[in-house]
Amino acid sequence: MANINDVARLADVSIASVSRFFSKPELLSKKAHARISEAVAALNYHPNALARNLLRSRSGNVMVLVNDITNPFISQVITEADKAAQARGYSVLLGITHHCADTEEKYIEQIRSKVADGFLQLSATERPMQLAREKNIPYVNLLECPPEQDLPSVQIDNIAAAFDMTSMLIAMGHRDIACLKGEFSDDYPSPVTTDRVQGFCRALAAQHIDVTPEWMLQGDYSPASGVAAAQRILSMAHRPSAVFCANDYMAFGLIRGLKDAGFRVPEDIAVTGFDDIDIALFNNPPLTTVSQPIEQLGWTAMEMLIDIIEGEEIVDKRRRLAHKLILRGSASK
Amino acid sequence: MANINDVARLADVSIASVSRFFSKPELLSKKAHARISEAVAALNYHPNALARNLLRSRSGNVMVLVNDITNPFISQVITEADKAAQARGYSVLLGITHHCADTEEKYIEQIRSKVADGFLQLSATERPMQLAREKNIPYVNLLECPPEQDLPSVQIDNIAAAFDMTSMLIAMGHRDIACLKGEFSDDYPSPVTTDRVQGFCRALAAQHIDVTPEWMLQGDYSPASGVAAAQRILSMAHRPSAVFCANDYMAFGLIRGLKDAGFRVPEDIAVTGFDDIDIALFNNPPLTTVSQPIEQLGWTAMEMLIDIIEGEEIVDKRRRLAHKLILRGSASK
């Protein structure tokens, strides 16, 4: 198999020139470029990526640090971020932490060892942010930036979105509204989770409606926790007439549980979701939900990360994209 | 920042010993290991992964080549494969091709350049298989191995699974059964797609039921194509009493479309899915479907790939895992 020396010899240039051909071709003369290009083709030479990346001390990879990709909202956002990375010539190294601090630490060690040129974090744990700050590693938080952190980040305004959806339920005539909160685990930070509850409470306060503690239900973003919430609601002496759910998956489970008990949605209890994943439209009834700009979230975050890696100036480093209310059958007038 | 020379000097060993500490610690004496370990801690030394991997000419990465991760069946299988890779100390480099030959080629080039030590292919395109054979690169096909390819592969027996599900519909008394096929694109090979249609047809033949060409409906694995199929069924003079769908997503859309037109599922038309993704249980009605062993598929394929990378002997290189019929409300007696 041909190596870099063979190419240099055939093209009659230095080894450094061949290396430059792969790392910074714009620095070569047209003539040198053409000669090396011919030699590479003639010898069917493929540079070893490890060696090539070592030369420019860049890996060509970006890491996506994420807890879990099984919810379609997350896998769709990552798909869009991946398209953006590919469009800029980068590959995505996926680091799934499974909500495990040790696994996260392993990926942090990899980032520190320059396996990737920068990373997107789709969670709010402290260690990755600390690494980015201390080691000055290109970083963008996607979806879960804690408000006190002054780091590049891309997400919607979750307080405003929850406020808008709850206000719409009030506008439909509901005053007895429950909130199905999401939470990953007791000690797992999630600004998104907190923000959505806050937006819900603010919307009630704005209309002088008291929060009913019994109706602040705890879920974990899974459909099964939606079913469990339905069972709790069914056991109540005084039931809410609408439930604001912090994601679509829990809304699916809640509707399932209510229907199993013979309740009609939305006639007996209206239900709203959050995210607008692809199948929200196909549920029975179709889900009234908050649409997050999935495509734009993924693209914007990855574009920003690569801009930072490539030393471009970032004008607005805290991007807050627009959400939209989607009115369908699960909650309607 | 400390480098490898500093560590060698402090520990009073050769640079080769420090390198060995990170690549093959079992070759070091206990004393040398302890001294290097202390020096590494004292200097807070982190080896550059690029340099380290170049030394052992291994990247520590495995690539997962996949068309699309937005369907939860795929993202769940990849999640399990990822857990298996992590358990063996490997990281996953995700190559999403978006059904695009050029993008696939880019990842093939990366694999050829040793960015990864081996790869899983979740599709049936020819180029990656050709690369694996010609360059002897560790390879396992997950889900979509063409029957004529003698390559390591892990999947269920899709012909048998489709046969079983169709036979169950027949056992419930149905004789007018439609098939909603999936297809990615006209020229995109998918043995899974072909196998499921074949299993369906064989089950009818086994009971001397003729295939009705009008009832062989074309979808594309998306929920929207399920809705479109419902509209075609509704326009028929003679309608089927049951529909076998080649995945859960199309079944969701089909049920949605039938219900919108006032049809009851399963009373008027029974519907079955394929995959048993997490939300199949929460649909209205819950989906009768073929359960694929998602966890086992991901783990088995990744374990096999890493065994091949590490030079272990593979006893049974064509693994066919067991499927299971899951009887729920969308098709029942």
Side-chain angles (χ1 to χ4, degrees), chain A residues 46 49 69 79 83 86 91-94 96 98 103 107 109-110 112-113 249 256 278-279 283-284 286, chain B residues 46 49 69 79 82-83 86 91-94 96 98 103 107 109-110 113 223 249 256 278-279 283-284 286:
Chain A
H46 292 282
I69 60 164
T79 295
K83 287 183 197 166
Q86 292 196 21
S91 298
V92 169
L93 185 62
L94 189 67
I96 308 178
H98 310 280
T103 307
Y107 281 112
E109 193 52 42
Q110 289 216 22
R112 195 203 282 272
S113 305
Y249 257 34
R256 170 81 273 160
D278 54 1
I279 45 171
N283 195 56
N284 290 300
Chain B
H46 293 280
I69 61 164
T79 295
D82 184 272
K83 287 183 197 168
Q86 292 197 21
S91 299
V92 168
L93 185 61
L94 189 66
I96 308 178
H98 310 279
T103 307
Y107 282 112
E109 192 54 41
Q110 289 216 22
S113 306
Y249 257 34
R256 169 80 275 158
D278 53 2
I279 44 171
N283 194 56
N284 290 300

Side-chain angles (χ1 to χ4, degrees), chain A residues 213-281:
Chain A
E214 192 191 9
W215 292 344
M216 297 302 289
L217 303 160
Q218 187 65 62
D220 62 5
Y221 290 119
S222 74
S225 71
V227 174
Q231 284 155 356
R232 288 204 296 286
I233 289 171
L234 297 172
S235 73
M236 291 174 184
H238 181 46
R239 297 191 192 104
S241 67
V243 185
F244 163 82
C245 300
N247 81 344
D248 290 347
Y249 257 34
M250 291 194 292
F252 293 149
L254 180 65
I255 292 173
R256 170 81 273 160
L258 293 173
K259 286 196 156 187
D260 281 349
F263 282 73
R264 293 166 304 162
V265 176
E267 296 83 354
D268 300 322
I269 298 183
V271 176
T272 65
F274 204 109
D275 290 342
D276 196 26
I277 58 176
D278 54 1
I279 45 171
L281 172 63

Side-chain angles (χ1 to χ4, degrees), chain A residues 82 86 91, chain B residues 63-68 94-112 119-131 139 141 144 187-189:
Chain A
D82 184 273
Q86 292 196 21
S91 298
Chain B
M63 188 173 278
V64 173
L65 205 58
V66 59
N67 288 314
D68 182 5
L94 189 66
I96 308 178
T97 64
H98 310 279
H99 289 101
C100 165
D102 285 347
T103 307
E104 182 181 85
E105 198 59 36
K106 209 192 75 179
Y107 282 112
I108 286 176
E109 192 54 41
Q110 289 216 22
I111 294 166
R112 194 203 283 269
F119 66 113
L120 291 186
Q121 181 184 5
L122 280 80
S123 63
T125 44
E126 176 56 26
R127 289 277 295 131
M129 300 183 201
Q130 192 186 340
L131 173 73
Y139 171 96
N141 188 291
E144 283 275 13
D187 54 358
Y188 198 88

Side-chain angles (χ1 to χ4, degrees), chain B residues 132-167:
Chain B
R133 266 196 315 268
E134 285 175 6
K135 302 284 169 185
N136 203 23
I137 295 172
Y139 171 96
V140 174
N141 188 291
L142 176 52
L143 305 178
E144 283 275 13
C145 196
E148 71 280 8
Q149 294 278 359
D150 184 36
L151 286 163
S153 61
V154 177
Q155 59 190 77
I156 63 163
D157 181 338
N158 284 286
I159 297 178
F163 182 95
D164 290 352
M165 180 54 91
T166 310
S167 300

Side-chain angles (χ1 to χ4, degrees), chain B residues 203-214:
Chain B
L204 294 191
Q207 299 296 321
H208 313 290
I209 302 171
D210 290 334
V211 169
T212 304
E214 192 192 9

